[in-house]
């Protein structure tokens, strides 16, 4: 098989060869376009996957922060409750002391009731 | 704390030992006018309440304000956390979209504008060749 034979063959069957070449070109072009479309699809898919992963991470961080805020809130509420109870206890002690003082004062100095009631309530004393 | 409770119990027991009593006095009973008679303990109770109501009120107000303030603070924190998360989400999406746009632009650039003269040339040459071949065939 030499060059002359090949040329002879090509000359004889040039139409078929041309058709095959055209077909190969069309197929090549189709493959190229398909690859381009696939590349665009992969790009979009990667972008969406990155977005999903990022959003999940952000959501996780948000939940952790909310948990932390809730824990701090509960701690503060406990502190407030404790302080409130302590104040109530102190007030109860103060009340008991005051009452004891009043009772003692009224027993030892009955005339003090008059002065105290007048001072506290502004009532008029009638003998 | 324990000392407070003990003190409270001590004072309470002293106070409870002498409970407050009262009586309604009517006409003809030895009193200058109709009225209500309280014993010393009851009067002491009333006077004590009167003398300490301001403190009781202050304690209640402080408690309610603290609770409301803490709830508000939690709400504020939650809003801030939500805001930060939305801001991050926005930045992430914009960043990813930018990357996507750049990549798609690269794909598009490969597809047509840079090669358009090449495609034009190939198309023109193919057309010319086919025309010549057809013409030769027709003239045979």
């Amino acid at each position: 098989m030499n060059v002359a034979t090949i040329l002879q063959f090509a000359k004889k069957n040039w139409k078929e060869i041309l058709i095959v070449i055209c077909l190969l070109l069309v197929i090549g072009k189709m493959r190229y376009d398909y690859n381009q479309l696939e590349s665009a699809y992969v790009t979009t898919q990667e972008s969406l996957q990155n977005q999903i992963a990022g959003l999940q991470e952000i959501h996780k961080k948000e939940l952790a922060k909310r948990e932390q805020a809730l824990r701090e809130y509960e701690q503060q509420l406990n502190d407030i409750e404790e302080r409130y109870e302590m104040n109530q206890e102190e007030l109860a002690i103060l009340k008991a002391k005051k009452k004891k003082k009043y009772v003692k004062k009224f027993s030892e100095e009955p005339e003090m009731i008059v002065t105290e009631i007048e001072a506290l309530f502004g009532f008029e004393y009638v003998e | 704390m324990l000392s407070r409770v003990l003190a409270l119990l001590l004072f309470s027991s002293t106070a409870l030992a002498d409970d407050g009593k009262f009586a309604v006095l009517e006409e003809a009973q030895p009193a200058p006018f109709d009225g209500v008679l309280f014993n010393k303990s009851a009067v002491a109770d009333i006077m004590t309440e009167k003398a300490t109501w301001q403190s009781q009120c202050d304690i209640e107000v402080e408690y309610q304000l603290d609770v409301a303030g803490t709830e508000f603070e939690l709400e504020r924190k939650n809003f801030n956390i939500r805001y930060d998360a939305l801001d991050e989400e926005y930045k992430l999406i914009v960043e990813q979209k930018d990357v996507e746009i750049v990549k798609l632009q690269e794909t598009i650039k490969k597809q047509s504008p840079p090669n358009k003269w090449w495609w034009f040339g190939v198309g023109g040459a193919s057309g010319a060749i086919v025309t010549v071949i057809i013409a030769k065939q027709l003239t045979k």
Side-chain angles (χ1 to χ4, degrees):
Chain A
M1 235 190 186
N2 53 21
V3 178
T5 317
I6 292 167
L7 282 174
Q8 187 70 28
F9 176 80
K11 198 176 176 184
K12 196 180 170 186
N13 302 293
W14 65 271
K15 290 177 190 169
E16 288 81 0
I17 292 167
L18 190 65
I19 289 167
V20 169
I21 289 169
C22 286
L23 276 173
L24 286 174
L25 280 173
V26 169
I27 290 166
K29 174 66 177 146
M30 276 173 67
R31 288 296 306 167
Y32 179 75
D33 287 347
Y34 175 79
N35 283 336
Q36 293 296 312
L37 277 174
E38 195 179 18
S39 165
Y41 168 74
V42 169
T43 302
T44 310
Q45 196 181 27
E46 276 176 8
S47 169
L48 287 173
Q49 276 172 348
N50 287 338
Q51 281 178 44
I52 289 167
L55 289 174
Q56 279 175 339
E57 184 62 30
I58 289 167
H59 185 61
K60 203 171 141 188
K61 273 183 358 192
E62 185 186 350
L63 283 182
K65 281 182 184 174
R66 276 179 188 271
E67 283 287 325
Q68 176 66 24
L70 198 64
R71 275 198 297 273
E72 283 173 11
Y73 166 74
E74 283 170 352
Q75 181 59 47
Q76 283 170 358
L77 218 55
N78 278 342
D79 292 346
I80 290 168
E81 291 283 347
E82 273 179 23
R83 199 163 56 239
Y84 176 71
E85 280 170 20
M86 205 170 73
N87 286 339
Q88 289 283 24
E89 283 171 13
E90 280 173 4
L91 186 67
I93 292 168
L94 183 74
K95 275 184 179 180
K97 273 183 185 174
K98 261 192 186 303
K99 187 182 172 184
K100 195 182 171 191
K101 200 175 92 183
Y102 278 132
V103 171
K104 193 179 169 192
K105 199 187 276 185
F106 296 160
S107 303
E108 288 169 359
E109 308 166 78
E111 68 281 1
M112 282 303 290
I113 287 186
V114 176
T115 321
E116 292 280 352
I117 289 176
E118 278 177 345
L120 260 180
F121 298 101
F123 295 159
E124 185 191 349
Y125 176 65
V126 180
E127 286 194 39
Chain B
M1 186 69 167
L2 185 64
S3 59
R4 279 201 188 95
V5 173
L6 286 173
L8 182 64
L9 285 173
L10 179 69
F11 285 120
S12 302
S13 61
T14 313
L16 285 172
D18 188 13
D19 284 341
K21 290 174 187 167
F22 77 98
V24 178
L25 297 176
E26 290 175 4
E27 198 178 346
Q29 286 187 281
F33 50 83
D34 288 352
V36 182
L37 173 70
F38 291 96
N39 71 352
K40 286 173 186 171
S41 177
V43 172
D45 265 338
I46 293 168
M47 290 176 76
T48 305
E49 285 299 322
K50 170 81 175 170
T52 56
W53 70 265
Q54 185 64 52
S55 303
Q56 179 68 45
C57 183
D58 287 346
I59 290 169
E60 287 295 333
V61 167
E62 187 192 347
Y63 172 72
Q64 295 298 340
L65 279 178
D66 283 351
V67 169
T70 310
E71 279 171 5
F72 173 75
E73 184 64 20
L74 174 70
E75 206 174 333
R76 195 185 65 81
K77 273 183 186 171
N78 278 336
F79 277 129
N80 273 340
I81 290 166
R82 187 76 199 119
Y83 170 77
D84 289 344
L86 285 173
D87 191 44
E88 278 183 47
E89 282 174 18
Y90 166 76
K91 281 176 185 164
L92 171 82
I93 289 170
V94 168
E95 190 185 322
Q96 286 303 317
K97 285 290 172 197
D98 284 345
V99 171
E100 192 180 332
I101 287 166
V102 169
K103 282 186 180 175
L104 288 175
Q105 275 177 342
E106 280 171 10
T107 307
I108 290 168
K109 275 177 191 169
K110 274 186 208 164
Q111 182 72 16
S112 50
N115 302 325
K116 66 181 176 185
W117 292 113
W118 191 85
W119 283 110
F120 180 75
V122 170
S126 306
I129 290 165
V130 170
T131 308
V132 169
I133 290 166
I134 291 168
K136 274 190 178 178
Q137 287 298 310
L138 287 174
T139 50
K140 268 188 185 174

